[in-house]
Amino acid sequence: MPFRDYQITSPYGYRTDPFTGQRSFHDGIDLVKGHRSPIEAFVGGKVLYAGTGVSGTGVGGYGNVVVIQDKNRRAHVYAHLDSVSVKKGQTVQRGTIIGRQGATGTRVTGSHLHYEVRRKSSPSLGWVNDPQARTFNPTKYVTNYFPVEQVDGGNVYVVKAGDTLSKIALAHKTTVDALVKLNNIKDKNKIVVGQRIKLSGQTLYLPKTASSWRVYPTNVAPVKGNEKGFLNPKKFGGLQYTVLAKPQANVVTIQTSDFGKVNIYVHPSTGAVIK
Ligand SMILES: [Zn+2]
């Protein structure tokens, strides 16, 4: 969900118009964070309009409004802002604060962000007199704007809608703590769509010739007698793990499905490979 910091007070699509009581098409999504809360760009691009929406521009009546053109030349409209903090012509990144939530403009019932994605950015900032034909569903558009991609040999994951750090950690056999540390993440509950998460510095490969490999609890010495269990790489045609830590020479910490987080002895003579 690209709008995880917000409460959705009115979705995109047909609704009963709050002013006329008639069925009408809502051309954007209404989001609430808090009056005067900072509003960050959901998608980066070039600022086409910043300031009071003047009649005839394509954003008349929108109050203090920011319009950003993305790389597909779609226009992202942030309306009813209390204040605007970017300038026309400026390039902004996803996450740049563009203004503050407000209640400016006409047809406003209370402080909220009206966010709209227009199919075109010109003429008139993509305005045509058909709310459905001129816009996309913003939730779908933003979600699809940041596809899942694996780069750097699968070592970087790009956050998609609905992801949490624990979900990502589980899928990549690592831990939330390791991801937080590796990526200098300040708030582990706050990751955003499109964010690149480094999964690991290195991967441990256990050869398929080995059928019994000792693993140890992380809080005791990795010596015979202290085993937590045994891995069987042979059974799986070899095993591979994300290296979470290197607590001492030739010992690394890995996350296993059978024994949880464990230490394992990986001196080169064992046949283990780390790369
Ligand atoms: Zn709205």
Side-chain angles (χ1 to χ4, degrees), residues 78-100:
Y78 301 79
H80 311 314
L81 299 170
D82 187 68
S83 60
V84 162
S85 52
V86 289
K87 286 191 169 67
K88 186 179 171 178
Q90 191 181 332
T91 300
V92 298
Q93 311 293 316
R94 178 178 57 88
T96 298
I97 295 171
I98 52 137
R100 289 183 179 271

Side-chain angles (χ1 to χ4, degrees), residues 173-253:
K173 292 182 176 159
T174 179
T175 64
V176 171
D177 285 348
L179 293 178
V180 164
K181 209 172 159 190
L182 199 61
N183 293 279
N184 292 316
I185 292 169
K186 287 176 191 74
D187 181 351
K188 64 183 174 189
N189 296 314
K190 210 171 175 185
I191 55 169
V192 295
V193 172
Q195 186 173 344
R196 298 163 75 83
I197 306 274
K198 214 170 153 189
L199 296 172
S200 159
Q202 292 182 310
T203 304
L204 166 68
Y205 299 88
L206 300 179
K208 59 183 174 201
T209 48
S211 57
S212 176
W213 208 299
R214 295 179 164 83
V215 293
Y216 304 89
T218 54
N219 59 349
V220 298
V223 296
K224 218 171 169 180
N226 280 345
E227 293 90 351
K228 195 169 187 182
F230 297 84
L231 298 175
N232 186 352
K234 192 175 182 178
K235 191 175 157 190
F236 301 99
L239 285 168
Q240 72 181 70
Y241 299 92
T242 295
V243 175
L244 302 178
K246 291 182 174 173
Q248 64 189 77
N250 299 315
V251 175
V252 299
T253 306

Side-chain angles (χ1 to χ4, degrees), residues 17-166:
D17 189 287
F19 288 89
T20 63
Q22 302 289 308
R23 190 173 128 90
S24 69
F25 195 87
H26 187 214
D27 53 0
I29 184 170
D30 290 349
L31 302 165
V32 171
K33 195 194 259 182
H35 185 50
R36 297 201 172 116
S37 288
I39 302 298
E40 298 171 358
F42 298 120
V43 171
K46 188 181 163 192
V47 178
L48 297 185
Y49 197 101
T52 308
V54 175
S55 177
T57 59
V59 286
Y62 279 65
N64 291 326
V65 56
V66 171
V67 181
I68 296 170
Q69 182 189 57
D70 70 22
K71 63 172 195 262
N72 304 325
R73 303 187 72 80
R74 315 297 188 192
H76 299 246
V77 180
Y78 301 79
H80 311 314
L81 299 170
D82 187 68
S83 60
V84 162
S85 52
V86 289
K87 286 191 169 67
K88 186 179 171 178
Q90 191 181 332
T91 300
V92 298
Q93 311 293 316
R94 178 178 57 88
T96 298
I97 295 171
I98 52 137
R100 289 183 179 271
Q101 182 188 312
T104 58
T106 56
R107 288 173 43 91
V108 177
T109 47
S111 180
H112 74 280
L113 170 69
H114 170 89
Y115 173 61
E116 194 176 312
V117 181
R118 293 190 181 168
R119 297 179 184 218
K120 291 187 173 169
S121 50
S122 75
S124 300
L125 300 169
W127 168 270
V128 291
N129 194 18
D130 178 339
Q132 195 166 4
R134 74 170 170 262
T135 56
F136 288 117
N137 179 327
T139 309
K140 283 188 185 160
Y141 185 82
V142 176
T143 301
N144 293 333
Y145 194 87
F146 301 107
V148 183
E149 53 176 302
Q150 288 220 323
V151 288
D152 304 343
N155 229 348
V156 171
Y157 177 80
V158 180
V159 176
K160 63 178 177 9
D163 277 343
T164 60
L165 265 191
S166 52

